[in-house]
Amino acid sequence: MAMDGRTLAARIRSEVAEEVRVLGGVGLATVLVGDDAASDIYIRRKHEAAEAAGFRTLDLRLPATTGEGELVERVAELNDDDEVDALLVQLPLPDGIDEEHVIRAVDPTKDVDGFHPLNAGELLLARPGLVPATARGVMALLAEYRIELDGARAVVVGRSAIVGKPVAQLLEQANATVTVCHSHTQDLARHTLDADVLVVAAGRAAMISPDMVAIGATVIDVGINRTSAGLVGDVDPGVADVASHLTSVPGGVGPMTIACLLENAVRCARARRG
Ligand code: NAP
């Protein structure tokens, strides 16, 4: 069965729009440094979705020559701006800017991406507040399709702070037994074949082939890879013949990320208004 992220994301976005209306407006600010084409597309999509849901938005664009000190100052101004409930700095940042310093500069209560160490720590301690949107999107899809997680064997391929780690923590908090694989994992298939639920976030086109997936497994493909054949995921489409549930790329996790980002922004606004 194809897991349809578009339909679920549309439903979440309309619920978000209603909450924004009830709250009397929510302010979302984004900061983009430089002119990376992919980042520009991601920022535009976030703004389109936010505006459609009735957010007030601020799209701050800074030149690629912006220094770390100046960027941190601009973030501090947005932290102090009462009109801004939620704030993100689009990654990756140009060379010469330490992403860690910039992430730490964002007020944790406005950290709509959930990347600040305080929010990452709360998640680790199973007190999730602002959780990275892609990880929440994965969990929302699993819930929508009523995939049993309690006692399930879950395998996550990828251990980044923005996808793999938070997904693994949420799966563990849902009582799955979780294995995290990465680029040093020996014999990846030995692990993936053991999965009832397989989440792949490695950024390697079609790296998971049908012979790496157990019959009847649920497979969530987070990967987005630009190839000569267009956008493809980390999972070979032939896995559909083996898996019981599979997300598509595009149309799976991608739309969920934006919808869950907007949900996080509403969370920021609610928390700031007590
Ligand atoms: P990342 O920071 O580059 O992390 C990739 C992870 O995959 C790393 O932990 C890496 O291991 C692991 N890895 C790489 N090659 C591997 C291999 N051959 N076998 C096993 N593990 C391997 O990437 P990311 O930011 O997490 O993103 C992952 C993918 O998801 C990308 O395609 C990205 O575009 C996509 N993405 C999609 C969405 C969405 O909304 N759908 C959102 C975010 C990201 P090491 O730690 O050992 O290096």
Side-chain angles (χ1 to χ4, degrees):
M1 182 189 283
M3 298 171 93
D4 176 5
R6 282 203 181 104
T7 305
L8 177 55
R11 199 169 80 218
I12 292 171
R13 282 165 58 171
S14 72
E15 287 163 9
V16 164
E18 175 57 16
E19 293 214 47
V20 171
R21 198 187 58 75
V22 170
L23 284 163
V26 172
L28 171 68
T30 64
V31 184
L32 175 60
V33 186
D35 43 22
D36 179 71
S39 294
D40 178 61
I41 293 170
Y42 290 139
I43 285 287
R44 275 195 278 131
R45 288 209 187 120
K46 288 170 190 173
H47 278 268
E48 278 161 21
E51 279 150 25
F55 282 74
R56 296 184 307 274
T57 61
L58 174 67
D59 182 2
L60 180 61
R61 306 269 176 149
L62 300 172
T65 50
T66 305
E68 185 179 304
E70 189 190 341
L71 175 57
V72 166
E73 265 175 40
R74 303 305 291 269
V75 168
E77 284 164 18
L78 294 170
N79 285 343
D80 291 341
D81 185 340
D82 269 343
E83 287 293 299
V84 175
D85 293 297
L87 149 67
L88 68 86
V89 180
Q90 184 68 36
L91 304 180
L93 290 167
D95 291 347
I97 300 182
D98 186 331
E99 290 185 354
E100 183 62 31
H101 291 166
V102 177
I103 289 169
R104 280 178 188 272
V106 174
D107 178 341
T109 66
K110 295 190 179 187
D111 172 34
V112 67
D113 269 335
F115 294 166
H116 191 285
L118 191 115
N119 287 317
E122 296 283 14
L123 174 60
L124 186 73
L125 297 172
R127 299 190 297 242
L130 292 167
V131 174
T134 304
R136 291 198 43 235
V138 168
M139 298 305 287
L141 273 168
L142 291 169
E144 178 69 10
Y145 286 85
R146 300 183 198 287
I147 305 300
E148 181 67 52
L149 295 177
D150 198 319
R153 286 163 302 184
V155 174
V156 180
V157 182
R159 58 176 169 180
S160 74
I162 66 170
V163 190
K165 279 194 174 72
V167 167
Q169 278 152 16
L170 292 173
L171 287 167
E172 187 231 39
Q173 286 163 27
N175 294 323
T177 301
V178 183
T179 300
V180 178
C181 301
H182 45 75
S183 67
H184 295 250
T185 298
Q186 302 290 314
D187 193 0
L188 184 62
R190 187 166 74 81
H191 299 282
T192 58
L193 274 168
D194 198 35
D196 301 312
V197 175
L198 175 62
V199 180
V200 191
R204 301 278 178 275
M207 71 178 286
I208 302 294
S209 48
D211 59 337
M212 295 172 77
V213 176
I215 292 171
T218 294
V219 181
I220 307 273
D221 188 356
V222 181
I224 301 176
N225 307 288
R226 275 162 223 285
T227 68
S228 52
L231 279 191
V232 302
D234 288 354
V235 176
D236 184 311
V239 166
D241 295 337
V242 186
S244 71
H245 294 78
L246 174 65
T247 57
S248 61
V249 177
V253 177
M256 293 300 298
T257 295
I258 295 197
C260 292
L261 184 84
L262 299 185
E263 269 191 334
N264 273 355
V266 165
R267 241 165 240 214
C268 294
R270 264 204 248 111
R272 292 187 67 240
R273 287 163 215 190

